[in-house]
Amino acid sequence: MEMNSLQDLFIHDLKDLYSTETQLTKALPKMAEAASDPDLKQAFQTHFAETEEHVARLERIFDELDESPKGKKCKAMEGLIEEGRELMEEDAQPVMDAGLIGAAQKVEHYEIAGYGTVRTYAQMLGNDQAARLLQQTLEEEGNTNKKLNALAMQCINAEAEGGDGQ
């Protein structure tokens, strides 16, 4: 895809986010299953439902633009998910939970950067409907990051620091 305008870049970056979100719909259930802390498990399950809504919002934007969301694979998200997959092979549950939070926060930060960027493009292009939808997702991604951080700080990182309890 040639990028000769901000509109082209907007569509390119939206496709990247679409790939990001669809990859996450496959990864989040596995992360929830791997988590031992019930609150972390619930956080992943809740974010899975939100991620499905994020995909639907992006599809609405693509419909309005009369564009296909497909055609781009987000290699950055592929790498972040692979890092999380490697953590799921660890045996020490509290350490794995802390690692899963770290991996999930890397994902959230990537998404926050991406959604902030495309929201700004939408605003500059005068696409108020897309900007509103993207802002809504941006806020949800930020809230998920805050929830993960709170879980880490409240208990999970301390449990990981204690290791096997000895």
Side-chain angles (χ1 to χ4, degrees):
M1 171 182 184
E2 281 193 40
M3 288 186 276
N4 298 314
S5 67
L6 186 60
Q7 180 73 18
D8 293 343
L9 184 58
F10 177 56
I11 292 167
H12 173 271
D13 285 3
L14 285 172
K15 288 182 180 216
D16 187 77
L17 284 168
Y18 185 79
S19 173
T20 293
E21 297 289 16
T22 56
Q23 287 181 60
L24 279 175
T25 61
K26 295 174 182 86
L28 281 166
K30 294 173 186 170
M31 292 173 78
E33 186 178 321
S36 64
D37 182 272
D39 292 331
L40 180 57
K41 192 177 287 285
Q42 181 61 49
F44 287 143
Q45 291 167 342
T46 299
H47 195 55
F48 171 74
E50 287 177 345
T51 300
E52 290 184 314
E53 179 57 32
H54 299 168
V55 169
R57 283 186 200 134
L58 288 168
E59 288 171 346
R60 279 188 289 197
I61 292 168
F62 279 107
D63 284 346
E64 288 178 17
L65 295 170
D66 198 28
E67 292 280 344
S68 169
K70 299 190 171 134
K72 179 163 184 358
K73 176 126 186 178
C74 179
K75 292 178 181 145
M77 186 54 55
E78 190 174 36
L80 290 170
I81 288 171
E82 180 56 33
E83 283 184 15
R85 191 174 296 123
E86 289 171 7
L87 284 167
M88 288 187 271
E89 296 170 5
E90 297 297 320
D91 290 331
Q93 283 296 333
V95 174
M96 182 179 57
D97 283 352
L100 285 173
I101 288 175
Q105 285 190 289
K106 288 176 187 176
V107 166
E108 292 310 312
H109 286 246
Y110 181 80
E111 290 180 301
I112 289 166
Y115 277 105
T117 299
V118 293
R119 185 260 346 258
T120 300
Y121 293 163
Q123 290 169 333
M124 292 181 72
L125 292 165
N127 190 333
D128 296 336
Q129 174 66 13
R132 276 192 298 279
L133 291 170
L134 295 165
Q135 179 63 38
Q136 189 176 354
T137 300
L138 179 60
E139 289 169 9
E140 289 171 1
E141 299 293 4
N143 289 336
T144 295
N145 184 59
K146 288 175 189 171
K147 288 176 198 171
L148 290 168
N149 197 53
L151 280 172
M153 299 302 290
Q154 289 167 2
C155 61
I156 292 175
N157 285 356
E159 290 170 8
E161 183 180 28
D164 61 8
Q166 295 179 359

